[in-house]
Amino acid sequence: LDAKMREERKSCGEVSLYYAGMFLWMVGRHDKAREYIGRMMKMTPGTPEGNTLYGWIDLTCGRDSLVKKSVKYFDDVISNPDLGSNVPVDCFFGKAKFHEMRHNYSSSLEVLNQAVVQYQGYTPALVEKMRIQLALQDWEQAVDTAQRALQSAPQCL
């Protein structure tokens, strides 16, 4: 598989590099995934999908120096004025997870509020928001958010 990937990598486009990087990240090969997404980002700099995946790779790699840098990739996407309301939901989740890992639950909640507003009716955003409200011990808001999530997807909790 590795030999075949090396051969294909020489001539593949950014979409192929993206999916190869996604696969490698999902199977835990963070360094290889970073390499593939880095190459993709050289071909098409500033792509929201590339920055978002790069942020997730760094966030989950286990190396503190990279984890600290991961929020920059999410911020670059969220603050991109060209995207408007087309910020990938994974980007919001990544930035929220970054703050959650740092035990900064109020910042995580702010990011999830943005996701809930932008992706109205998207139940996973409500569920994540409820989890953070529970971490903040904001019981009333957590119950309200849970009820909203259950209205849209009765089996979600």
Side-chain angles (χ1 to χ4, degrees), residues 17-18 21 33-41 50 53-54 57:
L17 288 168
Y18 174 81
R34 287 183 96 245
E35 180 182 323
Y36 277 62
I37 299 303
R39 185 159 175 246
M40 182 205 112
M41 289 171 53
L53 182 54
Y54 210 82
I57 292 167

Side-chain angles (χ1 to χ4, degrees), residues 128-140:
E128 285 299 307
K129 180 178 175 178
M130 181 202 65
R131 279 188 346 89
I132 296 301
Q133 288 168 331
L134 290 171
L136 287 167
Q137 298 181 355
D138 189 348
W139 312 122
E140 289 178 24

Side-chain angles (χ1 to χ4, degrees), residues 7-114:
E7 185 180 313
E8 289 293 323
R9 191 179 113 186
K10 293 175 186 172
S11 63
C12 64
E14 63 270 2
V15 173
S16 298
L17 288 168
Y18 174 81
Y19 285 113
M22 173 84 71
F23 172 77
L24 289 164
W25 172 58
M26 288 183 171
V27 296
R29 300 200 45 204
H30 293 90
D31 288 336
K32 271 292 193 200
R34 287 183 96 245
E35 180 182 323
Y36 277 62
I37 299 303
R39 185 159 175 246
M40 182 205 112
M41 289 171 53
K42 284 181 185 171
M43 294 171 82
T44 53
T47 61
E49 297 81 10
N51 275 345
T52 298
L53 182 54
Y54 210 82
W56 272 106
I57 292 167
D58 283 359
L59 184 66
T60 58
C61 72
R63 293 182 6 215
D64 199 47
S65 61
L66 294 177
V67 171
K68 288 178 184 175
K69 293 179 185 178
S70 67
V71 74
K72 174 196 168 298
Y73 297 105
F74 301 127
D75 283 337
D76 286 350
V77 174
I78 292 171
S79 66
N80 184 340
D82 295 335
L83 291 178
S85 62
N86 294 320
V87 174
V89 71
D90 291 344
C91 189
F92 288 120
F93 282 171
K95 186 173 179 180
K97 180 57 83 175
F98 170 83
H99 289 300
E100 180 185 349
M101 290 170 66
R102 299 270 180 233
H103 304 286
N104 187 350
Y105 300 114
S106 58
S107 292
S108 182
L109 185 60
E110 284 179 36
V111 174
L112 289 169
N113 281 332
Q114 289 178 312

